[in-house]
Amino acid sequence: LGSAALVLLALLRGFNSHAVHVIGVVVIVVLLLTLASTLAGALRTFSLSSLQSNLLPPRGEDAMGYTELSYLFTFIYPCFAGLFQSVNKAAELRTPYVSVPRAMLGAVLFTGIGLSLIVVAIAASAPRGELSETDFLLHAF
């Protein structure tokens, strides 16, 4: 499905670049609505005591191992993979030496703030024992 969408966008770009811009705006709006709904769902069960207990890293048998750490990077890496798109489009910009760094810093800040908000909201929504259940996110929200 993702590959078909990319091919469709590439074909649209050749015929009507305004449509691609509109689709991009729709994707950003959907992303922001998803972020807002995730945070709203987490605020429903927000607990300051859960947040405080989840701030420190786990110790002992609950400590994070190689498998958990690899899952974490598997999730986070794709969030930053699109950063180089601004470099690929630099030839089309009037001032790429200003626009590209601004776009990269904006993307890193937006992604970092969004992921941080989600992590804090999830950490405040339940005690550590519930968070370690494999289907927590499916039944919590």
Side-chain angles (χ1 to χ4, degrees), residues 12 82 89 94:
L12 270 175
K89 305 292 183 195
R94 277 183 276 153

Side-chain angles (χ1 to χ4, degrees), residues 23-43:
I23 291 170
V25 170
V26 169
V27 168
I28 290 173
V29 168
V30 168
L31 174 70
L32 291 175
L33 288 173
T34 302
L35 177 62
S37 67
T38 300
L39 293 176
L43 286 176

